Amino acid sequence: MIYLVFAHPYPSQSRVNRALLDAVRGLPGVEVCSLYDRYPDFDINVAAEQSALSRAELVIWMHPVFWYSVPGLMKQWFDKVLNYGWAYGDGGAGLRGKDCLWVATTGGKVETYAAGGIHRRPFVEFSRPVEETALFCGMNWQMPFILHGAHEIDEAGLAAGARQLRERLEAWMEAHAGAANRADGQP
Ligand SMILES: Cc1cc2nc3c(=O)[nH]c(=O)nc-3n(C[C@H](O)[C@H](O)[C@H](O)COP(=O)(O)O)c2cc1C
């Protein structure tokens, strides 16, 4: 199972994240949790989230970048769900060994994330807190899927991005099914 945690405060107004989500939500084994739909009052059901995560082999965190970071409810989800004794610390192995894919969109184009650009630093510098969160919980950090330039991307570019994300997940599923078959003794 792939558990896709989606955090957009206004899902109905989203253009880019919606296209990415639509491209993957129908894939077999993908379970989507739209945080702002499920927990509009920020009262996260921790047991339900941990139960879903336990069943997942790949966890996806998908959201627009807000102030170089995750939207507020995604941070709340980190704070509540990834708790001591479950995600880290004594007996905290709930996420250990699971793959983690970060899917994020930025308004800024890729060239704005560079020395001399408006955001001054390569985007990878802003990714570290999310990456370290996954690593701290013993997850396997996958190469992030970042779609830059969300404000100006045209329909063809958006369709290409959505297709690339879908292909990324399909490749993961194929590799994973291969590994599962080998574990079963199948060729
Ligand atoms: C509160 C807020 C903060 C934002 N902060 C950033 C930012 O730090 N860097 C950036 O490149 N874009 C930023 N943006 C732009 C969003 O990332 C962009 O609107 C989003 O990726 C578009 O996706 P959507 O079509 O799914 O809404 C911000 C937007 C909002 C509303």
Side-chain angles (χ1 to χ4, degrees), residues 78-102:
F78 286 162
D79 294 351
K80 293 290 181 186
V81 177
L82 310 184
N83 58 21
Y84 181 87
W86 188 82
Y88 70 98
D90 265 352
L95 293 169
R96 195 166 299 161
K98 297 180 188 295
D99 290 343
C100 181
L101 175 64
W102 186 37

Side-chain angles (χ1 to χ4, degrees), residues 16 26 48 58 69 90 172 174:
V16 173
L58 169 64
S69 183
D90 265 352
W172 183 93
E174 206 177 305

Side-chain angles (χ1 to χ4, degrees), residues 8 14-17 64-68 105-108 113 119 150-151:
H8 196 300
S14 163
R15 174 173 171 251
V16 173
N17 281 269
V65 167
F66 280 4
W67 289 115
Y68 308 108
T105 66
T106 72
Y113 282 93
H119 300 300
H151 291 153

Side-chain angles (χ1 to χ4, degrees), residues 70-138:
V70 300
L73 187 50
M74 184 91 240
K75 182 60 165 59
Q76 173 84 343
W77 187 93
F78 286 162
D79 294 351
K80 293 290 181 186
V81 177
L82 310 184
N83 58 21
Y84 181 87
W86 188 82
Y88 70 98
D90 265 352
L95 293 169
R96 195 166 299 161
K98 297 180 188 295
D99 290 343
C100 181
L101 175 64
W102 186 37
V103 179
T105 66
T106 72
K109 292 181 176 178
V110 67
E111 59 270 23
T112 66
Y113 282 93
I118 192 169
H119 300 300
R120 303 194 316 124
R121 300 164 191 281
F123 185 75
V124 68
E125 292 196 24
F126 301 105
S127 75
R128 298 307 184 203
V130 179
E131 178 178 354
E132 291 304 322
T133 299
L135 294 177
F136 196 79
C137 297

Side-chain angles (χ1 to χ4, degrees), residues 23-34:
V24 299
R25 73 156 83 236
L27 289 173
V30 174
E31 189 177 319
V32 176
C33 174
S34 177

Side-chain angles (χ1 to χ4, degrees), residues 169-187:
L169 293 206
E170 286 172 340
W172 183 93
M173 287 172 181
E174 206 177 305
H176 200 79
N181 288 341
R182 282 192 296 282
D184 288 350
Q186 296 176 30

